Amino acid sequence: MPSNARATSLTRRGLLAAGGALGLGAALAACGDKGGDKDGGSTKAGEKTGPWEFTDDRGQKVTAKTTPKNIVAFTGTAAALKDFGIEVKGVFGPTYVEDPKTKAKKPDVQAGDLDIAKVKVIGNVWGEFKIEEYLKLQPELLITDMWEKNDLWYVPAEQKDKILKIAPSVALWAADKSMPAVLQRHADLAASLGADVQTARIKADKARFEAAAERLRKAAQGKKDIKVLIGSGSPDLFYVSTPVRPTDTLYFKELGINIVTPTKLDQGGWFEGLSWENVDKYQADIIMLDNRTSALQPEALKAKPTWAALPAVKAGQVIPRVTEPIYSYAKCAPLLEDLAKALENAKKVS
């Protein structure tokens, strides 16, 4: 995965464990009767009946006697499915941010339009996946992203074997494919689950996305000399992402954006970590800064003198980067529009 989250994910898989499920066998046995209430969080278009099948991006054909209704998904994937007309029952991954004083919860940036009060959150941080809570949902399908082949995003490696025995799983690429292809795969999955992906609203969202792409293409043609750097801040390092693996930046390159490409990538080929003393290694006119709650945001970065000294920062040409896009046309169109606007208004400062 791009930027620091991918680095921490690879190390955390080896260092953190969410803990085994106590009494898993008994819980599975108790969950064996699936004749109970499956409403209240199933698909909006769950009236679709008959056998169901879908071939995911691992190349695995997933089948069921009936279309799954009790769906549990990675938060960002769940948000995308909602935009396509499919509701899920439970989520895992960054879903809410809790106020340290009031303990009030507000949606994480990755939650999109999910009603976080109505979905069951079985994990909100890396390494957290509450198997007992998952079982209680009587899941019929698990859906998540895939940043590396066969690596299920936010499904803890230590629990993966237990989790995948409970219900079938679907994994969709969130890397190494251009954004339009990834969007189509999410639409395909939603359609297989019973959604009408040809509604007037979704058609309008897609038209907006395509118009935004054309606007961005034209902006790139007019500002070929403007260099865009994709970055993410942590207390110790600033991560400069390659544009060739993430779906968004890959598409930006296809549209003609001049994106800085780091020369010394990590083992996974995602980013180069720079010390804050060397944060000016690459010249840039626009910085797209990781907007996830796990990364340092502009207010926190003010404490880094070398950050404040960067030409793009001094020029006010720093914009948020949605590092983990919600793959619906409704959510991706604004990403293209915002970058197009930034390019149209950018001045050469590097």
Side-chain angles (χ1 to χ4, degrees), residues 82 149 169 198 256 291 344:
K82 179 177 177 61
K149 187 69 173 179
S169 62
Q198 296 299 322
N291 78 327
E344 290 162 355

Side-chain angles (χ1 to χ4, degrees), residues 241-298:
S241 293
T242 178
V244 299
R245 294 205 65 185
T247 64
D248 59 335
T249 54
L250 180 57
Y251 191 41
F252 297 160
K253 275 190 67 70
E254 291 172 356
L255 293 173
I257 308 300
N258 182 4
I259 301 180
V260 173
T261 301
T263 56
K264 296 182 179 180
L265 298 179
D266 67 303
Q267 186 176 0
W270 288 100
F271 55 78
E272 179 177 353
L274 302 176
S275 68
W276 283 105
E277 290 77 13
N278 296 313
V279 73
D280 60 350
K281 177 178 178 179
Y282 299 104
Q283 296 298 305
D285 304 291
I286 295 175
I287 297 175
M288 297 187 72
L289 188 67
D290 187 349
N291 78 327
R292 291 172 298 176
T293 53
S294 59
L296 295 183
Q297 298 307 304

Side-chain angles (χ1 to χ4, degrees), residues 76-95:
T77 313
L81 289 173
K82 179 177 177 61
D83 287 348
F84 282 118
I86 297 295
E87 299 279 0
V88 305
K89 198 168 186 179
V91 295
F92 56 95
T95 308

Side-chain angles (χ1 to χ4, degrees), residues 11-56:
T11 55
R12 286 178 183 174
R13 285 200 186 280
L15 296 175
L16 295 181
L22 298 175
L24 179 60
L28 279 168
C31 202
D33 178 10
K34 297 213 174 186
D37 179 17
K38 295 181 182 178
D39 296 329
S42 60
T43 63
K44 276 185 179 177
E47 293 83 3
K48 180 179 177 182
T49 59
W52 175 82
E53 69 174 43
F54 183 82
T55 301
D56 76 356

Side-chain angles (χ1 to χ4, degrees), residues 129-196:
F129 193 108
K130 300 172 184 176
I131 295 185
E132 268 80 17
E133 297 302 317
Y134 180 51
L135 285 164
K136 290 176 184 177
L137 295 173
Q138 299 184 13
E140 297 171 314
L141 184 64
L142 175 78
I143 306 173
T144 190
D145 286 349
M146 184 169 62
W147 292 81
E148 300 283 1
K149 187 69 173 179
N150 299 323
D151 186 4
L152 303 186
W153 193 232
Y154 269 80
V155 175
E158 300 83 0
Q159 296 173 287
K160 181 179 176 181
D161 290 344
K162 293 177 180 178
I163 291 167
L164 295 186
K165 287 178 181 178
I166 297 169
S169 62
V170 163
L172 296 180
W173 274 118
D176 298 331
K177 303 287 183 182
S178 187
M179 183 176 277
V182 176
L183 281 164
Q184 185 60 55
R185 288 294 285 157
H186 283 73
D188 292 344
L189 175 59
S192 80
L193 293 168
D196 179 2

